[in-house]
Amino acid sequence: MAVPSQRDRDSSSLDKEKADVTVIEHIEEKPRSATSDSDEERLSVLDFGGDSSLPPPPKLTPEQELALYRKIDLRLMPILALMYLLSFLDRGNIGNAKLQGLVTQLNLTGNKYNIALTMYFIPYCLCECPANLALKRLRPSRWLPCITIVWGTVMTLMGLVKNYPQLIGVRVCLGVAEAGLFPGVVYYLSLWYPRAMLQFRVGIFFGAASLAGAFSGLLAFGISFMSGTAGLLGWSWIFILEGIATVIVGVIALFVMVDFPDTAKFLTPEEAAYVIWRKKYDNSSVGEEERFNVRHITSALLDWQVWMHILVYMSVIGPLYGISLFLPSIINTFGFTTAISQLLTVPPYVFATIVLYIFAIWSDRIKRRSPFILAGLFMLLFGFAINISDAAPGVKYFGTFFCVAGSYAAFPGVVCWLGNNLAGQYKRGVGMALHIGIGNFAGAIASNVFRSQDAPRYVLGHGIMLMFVGIGFVALPSVVLTYRHINRARDRAALAGDAELLSPKRLRELGDRAPDFRYMY
């Protein structure tokens, strides 16, 4: 007797769920009494993502579904990845500019350089949550390109600053302008892709950040030969040329980006209906709420998993920013010239990009997040342990590969994990913005611990990075064990028939706290 494959079982499960959904929606479309829910509450179910104006979702084979999502990938991912590549390039190129005369010309004595780095993170963290709410209210195809044009303009003007206060001012403006991109795009992708498909897409998107690290070194090496042109040093040209490139990409994005599946012209009505249906019942058998309500914000603020995931986020993002902002300076202490130090930053980022894509594909395939984050933490532990030691320069350079790869490869999983486990569009948007916004304060800490007086070993800086890793080794298992405990309790209740019978409306209100929801770990 033939045993059905996993793909066949998944397909059968989807077919059954689709039939169940049809029954549910037919029931909910019946006339309601005067004491029933409001029309707006009904719309939150019956018009999820605009699906009421579309035909019924078609039945697709696994091959057809794969082809559909590849079609979506080709339209969404290239421009988003390019925008984020330039975003990370623009926030991190100050590390390359430091070696091209920035510190000397602006007289950044003492901890002024570190303060300039920190002043980016404060507005960046504070503005992320409002920016995500704005994205949901406004059109992503206008919001994301417009903020790209704004920060590209700010970056161009950064090349013209003449003193320390001006540098601080433009760094603050850069933080405000860039705040909406990363959390906005991750939330935007979560509206297009089911949660088991999300990490690979976030991996493609975030892989641009590791490529930005490689490009940053190469561009800095090439642009350094322009030093003296028009009376400007090399650091000025790094900011100006990369800023102009960002503005150009932002303008292109205005004509390329799309909003949501129901308004995407590159999809047929049937394809759009399938994408919305696939996402609508991804987390729950009765769909999820889409209409705004203040309780969604309250629910995100009071959810234990948001705050535990912030600790996991900090354990990875702290080392990521630490190594990104100071890798050129760290390698420079190994005894290499400025030009060679810029070039030697490239191989660790190439290695990190390869590991990132392996983790992303593997994670989506087995539908697990935590094992790959844990692997990244072990890589960080190994890399920073080498660099805090008194090892030879060649060995320390080898260690930087693990520092870069561990942080960059683990990061997409950290972001997707919380997004996978928050149900309800607004709760997910607020929760992810809090997650990223508060978590990024670790970047402000990382900006201040690699002090020039601690060169060449940077014991304080590497020690603080190891502290972040230690936080991850405590927070990550705690989250996994809690998820497993909740899932098993819900499974036992379902098998014993003890689960409370709730209306579809109540299940949607409960979201990830509903008895039919299972956390991914």
Side-chain angles (χ1 to χ4, degrees):
M1 179 178 176
V3 179
S5 66
Q6 181 64 44
R7 173 173 286 183
D8 293 335
R9 288 195 296 270
D10 290 345
S11 178
S12 298
S13 175
L14 282 174
D15 291 342
K16 181 179 183 300
E17 182 181 277
K18 189 171 178 180
D20 294 340
V21 166
T22 304
V23 173
I24 290 169
E25 293 210 354
H26 285 168
I27 291 172
E28 297 221 359
E29 286 174 351
K30 291 179 179 179
R32 302 189 175 203
S33 64
T35 58
S36 66
D37 304 319
S38 68
D39 291 340
E40 186 170 303
E41 289 171 335
R42 292 186 65 210
L43 279 172
S44 71
V45 184
L46 303 177
D47 192 32
F48 181 94
D51 60 352
S52 64
S53 62
L54 297 171
K59 180 180 178 181
L60 300 183
T61 65
E63 291 75 19
Q64 290 172 325
E65 182 185 69
L66 181 62
L68 172 59
Y69 281 104
R70 281 179 177 168
K71 179 180 180 180
I72 295 171
D73 290 340
L74 290 173
R75 184 58 185 268
L76 301 187
M77 300 313 302
I79 189 64
L80 293 176
L82 185 57
M83 289 163 68
Y84 194 63
L85 184 151
L86 290 165
S87 170
F88 218 85
L89 197 66
D90 290 343
R91 80 181 67 171
N93 57 14
I94 192 170
N96 301 101
K98 180 184 178 184
L99 299 184
Q100 296 294 337
L102 173 71
V103 173
T104 304
Q105 187 171 12
L106 299 187
N107 193 29
L108 302 183
T109 57
N111 63 348
K112 288 183 177 180
Y113 173 76
N114 300 89
I115 292 174
L117 297 181
T118 306
M119 294 309 295
Y120 166 87
F121 287 101
I122 295 174
Y124 182 82
C125 297
L126 294 176
C127 294
E128 284 188 311
C129 190
N132 249 22
L133 290 174
L135 173 70
K136 180 61 181 172
R137 287 290 186 180
L138 303 175
R139 296 175 59 189
S141 65
R142 293 295 174 263
W143 173 257
L144 296 175
C146 284
I147 64 174
T148 302
I149 294 170
V150 170
W151 95 63
T153 304
V154 172
M155 175 53 57
T156 304
L157 296 175
M158 192 181 295
L160 304 177
V161 299
K162 302 299 181 184
N163 52 52
Y164 175 61
Q166 291 177 2
L167 178 64
I168 292 294
V170 291
R171 288 291 293 178
V172 169
C173 293
L174 186 66
V176 172
E178 285 197 18
L181 184 70
F182 184 74
V185 170
V186 175
Y187 174 58
Y188 172 67
L189 292 177
S190 75
L191 301 177
W192 279 83
Y193 295 98
R195 58 180 182 167
M197 297 182 183
L198 189 59
Q199 182 166 340
F200 176 59
R201 275 71 187 186
V202 174
I204 294 174
F205 168 64
F206 191 73
S210 55
L211 288 176
F215 279 121
S216 186
L218 288 172
L219 288 172
F221 175 75
I223 295 172
S224 65
F225 294 103
M226 293 184 63
S227 185
T229 303
L232 300 174
L233 294 182
W235 68 267
S236 291
W237 285 112
I238 289 174
F239 292 149
I240 292 170
L241 294 180
E242 293 178 5
I244 292 173
T246 302
V247 172
I248 293 172
V249 169
V251 172
I252 294 172
L254 283 170
F255 299 95
V256 174
M257 280 198 65
V258 295
D259 291 315
F260 303 110
D262 63 308
T263 58
K265 301 300 182 184
F266 73 97
L267 296 177
T268 66
E270 291 75 19
E271 289 172 336
Y274 183 84
V275 171
I276 295 171
W277 169 79
R278 188 76 167 83
K279 181 59 194 169
K280 181 176 182 178
Y281 299 102
D282 180 36
N283 292 342
S284 171
S285 61
V286 295
E288 61 179 8
E289 288 201 317
E290 186 185 17
R291 301 285 167 172
F292 176 75
N293 193 298
V294 175
R295 63 181 166 79
H296 297 145
I297 299 177
T298 306
S299 180
L301 287 169
L302 298 179
D303 196 330
W304 67 271
Q305 58 176 328
V306 172
W307 300 101
M308 286 299 295
H309 274 275
I310 286 172
L311 295 178
V312 178
Y313 185 96
M314 285 182 163
S315 72
V316 173
I317 200 66
L320 189 151
Y321 277 121
I323 200 67
S324 298
L325 295 171
F326 294 96
L327 184 60
S329 298
I330 292 171
I331 293 177
N332 192 234
T333 64
F334 298 162
F336 300 107
T337 64
T338 297
I340 297 301
S341 296
Q342 302 279 26
L343 290 176
L344 286 177
T345 63
V346 176
Y349 283 106
V350 174
F351 174 66
T353 304
I354 295 170
V355 177
L356 184 153
Y357 287 133
I358 292 172
F359 278 18
I361 295 171
W362 197 356
S363 177
D364 273 355
R365 185 163 297 173
I366 68 172
K367 298 179 175 61
R368 289 287 183 268
R369 305 297 182 223
S370 57
F372 302 95
I373 302 171
L374 186 63
L377 290 173
F378 274 112
M379 294 175 73
L380 287 168
L381 176 64
F382 184 62
F384 283 111
I386 290 176
N387 273 276
I388 202 173
S389 70
D390 198 20
V395 177
K396 287 192 172 187
Y397 180 63
F398 172 72
T400 63
F401 280 73
F402 291 91
C403 295
V404 177
S407 55
Y408 278 84
F411 187 76
V414 172
V415 176
C416 289
W417 195 14
L418 180 63
N420 291 157
N421 289 329
L422 291 176
Q425 290 195 14
Y426 274 98
K427 181 182 178 180
R428 187 183 306 117
V430 173
M432 294 180 73
L434 288 170
H435 182 219
I436 297 171
I438 298 175
N440 270 326
F441 277 109
I445 297 172
S447 300
N448 288 281
V449 296
F450 286 91
R451 305 176 304 177
S452 56
Q453 62 264 37
D454 295 330
R457 285 184 63 184
Y458 294 108
V459 173
L460 176 65
H462 294 311
I464 296 295
M465 298 304 104
L466 289 170
M467 178 202 73
F468 281 122
V469 174
I471 292 172
F473 278 126
V474 174
L476 180 70
S478 300
V479 175
V480 171
L481 291 174
T482 305
Y483 279 155
R484 291 180 65 183
H485 173 74
I486 295 173
N487 282 355
R488 287 175 177 176
R490 291 175 181 175
D491 289 341
R492 287 194 299 269
L495 288 173
D498 296 334
E500 184 181 355
L501 294 178
L502 301 171
S503 68
K505 176 181 179 295
R506 181 57 180 158
L507 289 173
R508 284 188 292 274
E509 289 176 348
L510 288 172
D512 50 83
R513 293 179 292 116
D516 66 338
F517 186 94
R518 296 297 181 270
Y519 292 109
M520 179 183 287
Y521 55 84

